[in-house]
Amino acid sequence: MHHVSNSLPDHLPGIQVAFALKQCLGKQDLLITLLNKFWEDYKDASNRLESGDLESHAIEKLLHDLQGAGINLGLNDLGKTCQVLRDSLKSSGSLTDEERGQFHMELEKVGSSIKTLDSTIQS
């Protein structure tokens, strides 16, 4: 696999690492810090979507924020999923179980890859 440096792969499931590293001006520590912050802020986003406590405008804001942060960090699949959910929310006012499941799957994939990157840097 081609590496952007001697320790990071170009891509992990859910993360375009090379793009994200470019966004961080090649600073691996900054990338890891931002990805860990992202995960800390949004790791419970599936639960927040499922809780039923949020009204549709709050869900839309959560998806919008997650999409923006994610796209800037190379989390393109998650960003696309957020856009699909936002569109669905606007047109129908709710999300299907399938849409929620897709979101959960994409979010967990990103979380797993962030942990992989973190352990790559630590070793």
Side-chain angles (χ1 to χ4, degrees):
M1 177 182 277
H2 175 65
H3 286 52
V4 289
S5 73
N6 55 2
S7 59
L8 295 183
D10 284 349
H11 181 268
L12 283 169
I15 304 176
Q16 296 291 328
V17 179
F19 171 82
L21 196 56
K22 226 181 261 187
Q23 292 289 90
C24 294
L25 305 174
K27 298 178 181 176
Q28 292 182 20
D29 290 346
L30 176 59
L31 174 59
I32 297 303
T33 298
L34 291 174
L35 286 170
N36 282 327
K37 172 89 173 96
F38 174 89
W39 186 243
E40 191 59 37
D41 290 347
Y42 295 112
K43 66 184 174 194
D44 67 340
S46 286
N47 292 340
R48 288 191 260 171
L49 269 182
E50 295 293 333
S51 73
D53 294 340
L54 297 179
E55 295 184 21
S56 65
H57 70 276
I59 293 172
E60 204 279 331
K61 181 177 179 352
L62 171 65
L63 291 169
H64 177 267
D65 293 349
L66 220 165
Q67 179 183 7
I71 287 174
N72 284 324
L73 290 171
L75 313 177
N76 297 343
D77 293 344
L78 182 61
K80 288 175 191 162
T81 299
C82 287
Q83 184 61 56
V84 168
L85 268 62
R86 289 176 64 208
D87 291 345
S88 180
L89 200 56
K90 286 176 187 171
S91 66
S92 71
S94 64
L95 301 174
T96 66
D97 289 344
E98 184 179 326
E99 290 166 331
R100 291 172 195 268
Q102 181 67 31
F103 175 79
H104 179 74
M105 186 180 77
E106 291 299 336
L107 188 64
E108 288 304 310
K109 182 169 47 172
V110 165
S112 178
S113 289
I114 288 172
K115 291 173 191 152
T116 298
L117 270 181
D118 218 7
S119 63
T120 299
I121 292 292
Q122 301 300 323
S123 57

